[in-house]
Amino acid sequence: MENVQKVLAGDVRIASRLIRNLEDNIPGAKETVKKVFPYTGKAHVVGITGSPGAGKSTLTDGIIASVRRKGKTVGVLAVDPTSPFTGGAILGDRCRMQRHAEDPGVFVRSLASRGAMGGLSKAIGDSIHVLDAMGKDMIIVETVGAGQQEVDIINHAHTVIVVLVPGMGDAIQAIKAGIMEIADIFVINKADREGAGKLYAEVNMMLDMSPSFPGGWRPPVIMTKNIYDPHQFAQDVEVLAEKIEEHYKMLIENNILGERQRRKALYELNEALRGYILEPILDKLVRTGEFSQMVEQLVAKEADPYTLAEQVAKRFMNGSLG
């Protein structure tokens, strides 16, 4: 209970340790999340996704500065690629946000993707709850940029920002990945590069083909230019920050926020059921060698996957999981 109170009081050290324990599946971490869960649901969760090298972390850094100027607190969960040696996060994202390191109103935590599909760590949902319970006004989730699986961010964020870069074929990739459908705001970063105007036109043309937009919100396309011109870049990011705020207000005014929270709840329940029901069964099948035997049966065409699944379901649903 002491840890719960410390999380609610915004204790950075305890929150960091809790998130680490959630990543490592340490027993007891979930119990703490259960107790802080009733205190969540107040933060504006913003997802930032896009291909590697698009400049997501630099934009996040600029958004943090803008939000802090308004007196609001920010939590950042930066999902980094996994180190092949330690299994931990390669802290590239955090390196770009060093100027906020001493700001008590900013909490930045890197999480390792550990091969998770969707460019997100498996602990991301619980980590969002931790930051929410700490009282952060805005929580920014930055994905690792995992190609055509980045759409998972929609299950966690109220506002999704898709970052595109000229000359990388990002418009085509966005269509292939289904990212066009999840974006609430498009950002063409490094817009001083050749091809920025063409990319801007392509994105708007694709938006023109959409039959409708939730709440009448047509995703704006923001151009952010050269980071080496700090004044211009800060102005561009300020426009982006204003659009993020406008989108959140639109969600509230049109009662769409509740729909997104319901979608998030549905996803979390599915994941929890998977964790408490499916994974223990799979673990037992693997541990006993039965899973390998079933695979061999399928290869030899001695059984089909549906019959095997039915047999497993009947067995474990009858309470024989022990």
Side-chain angles (χ1 to χ4, degrees), residues 31 46 76 97 100 122 202 236 264 286 290 298 311:
E31 293 304 313
V46 177
V76 179
M97 303 176 204
H100 304 292
K122 285 186 176 179
E202 287 174 347
D236 294 340
K264 187 177 186 326
V286 170
E290 192 175 347
L298 293 177
Q311 290 171 355

Side-chain angles (χ1 to χ4, degrees), residues 46-49 118 120 141 143 150-157 160 182:
V46 177
I48 300 183
T49 189
L120 293 176
V141 180
T143 76
E150 292 164 315
V151 294
D152 276 6
I153 189 65
I154 198 171
N155 295 314
H156 299 283
V160 177
I182 69 164

Side-chain angles (χ1 to χ4, degrees), residues 205-246:
M205 186 173 66
M206 285 185 276
L207 290 171
D208 288 340
M209 292 189 285
S210 180
S212 63
F213 301 101
W217 176 270
R218 177 188 167 106
V221 185
I222 310 297
M223 308 270 273
T224 51
K225 300 182 181 68
N226 195 342
I227 188 176
Y228 297 110
D229 182 351
H231 181 68
Q232 178 63 58
F233 186 76
Q235 283 185 327
D236 294 340
V237 173
E238 196 59 44
V239 172
L240 171 59
E242 287 171 7
K243 289 298 178 185
I244 293 170
E245 200 168 320
E246 282 178 31

Side-chain angles (χ1 to χ4, degrees), residues 173-202:
Q173 280 299 109
I175 297 170
K176 286 169 65 180
I179 292 175
M180 294 299 295
E181 286 79 11
I182 69 164
D184 298 305
I185 300 169
F186 286 98
V187 175
I188 298 177
N189 198 26
K190 307 178 185 180
D192 49 318
R193 285 186 179 181
E194 187 179 348
K198 181 173 179 287
L199 180 57
Y200 181 86
E202 287 174 347

Side-chain angles (χ1 to χ4, degrees), residues 90-312:
I90 300 171
L91 306 178
D93 291 328
R94 190 182 288 188
C95 293
R96 297 179 182 89
M97 303 176 204
Q98 279 301 309
R99 65 172 167 150
H100 304 292
E102 301 300 320
D103 185 347
V106 179
F107 177 76
V108 180
R109 184 68 165 76
S110 291
L111 295 94
S113 62
R114 302 193 179 180
M117 296 294 280
L120 293 176
S121 164
K122 285 186 176 179
I124 200 74
D126 290 333
S127 300
I128 289 171
H129 291 319
V130 173
L131 267 59
D132 199 349
M134 288 175 74
K136 299 304 178 191
D137 297 307
M138 178 182 286
I139 299 169
I140 301 173
V141 180
E142 182 191 323
T143 76
V144 72
Q148 295 181 29
Q149 294 294 329
E150 292 164 315
V151 294
D152 276 6
I153 189 65
I154 198 171
N155 295 314
H156 299 283
H158 304 127
T159 302
V160 177
I161 301 168
V162 172
V163 185
L164 307 172
V165 179
M168 292 178 65
D170 277 1
I172 302 301
Q173 280 299 109
I175 297 170
K176 286 169 65 180
I179 292 175
M180 294 299 295
E181 286 79 11
I182 69 164
D184 298 305
I185 300 169
F186 286 98
V187 175
I188 298 177
N189 198 26
K190 307 178 185 180
D192 49 318
R193 285 186 179 181
E194 187 179 348
K198 181 173 179 287
L199 180 57
Y200 181 86
E202 287 174 347
V203 173
N204 275 295
M205 186 173 66
M206 285 185 276
L207 290 171
D208 288 340
M209 292 189 285
S210 180
S212 63
F213 301 101
W217 176 270
R218 177 188 167 106
V221 185
I222 310 297
M223 308 270 273
T224 51
K225 300 182 181 68
N226 195 342
I227 188 176
Y228 297 110
D229 182 351
H231 181 68
Q232 178 63 58
F233 186 76
Q235 283 185 327
D236 294 340
V237 173
E238 196 59 44
V239 172
L240 171 59
E242 287 171 7
K243 289 298 178 185
I244 293 170
E245 200 168 320
E246 282 178 31
H247 180 257
Y248 192 56
K249 286 179 182 174
M250 183 280 296
L251 292 178
I252 296 169
E253 290 168 2
N254 290 276
N255 298 316
I256 300 173
L257 186 63
E259 293 174 19
R260 300 212 171 186
Q261 289 171 330
R262 196 167 287 107
R263 179 176 63 199
K264 187 177 186 326
L266 177 64
Y267 176 81
E268 289 183 333
L269 182 57
N270 277 327
E271 287 297 296
L273 289 170
R274 185 185 300 276
Y276 281 97
I277 299 173
L278 179 60
E279 288 181 11
I281 293 173
L282 288 174
D283 286 345
K284 183 171 183 180
L285 292 174
V286 170
R287 194 171 62 249
T288 60
E290 192 175 347
F291 194 83
S292 296
Q293 292 171 14
M294 289 192 290
V295 171
E296 293 305 317
Q297 283 182 282
L298 293 177
V299 172
K301 303 299 179 185
E302 295 169 358
D304 63 85
Y306 316 106
T307 302
L308 292 175
E310 284 173 6
Q311 290 171 355
V312 170

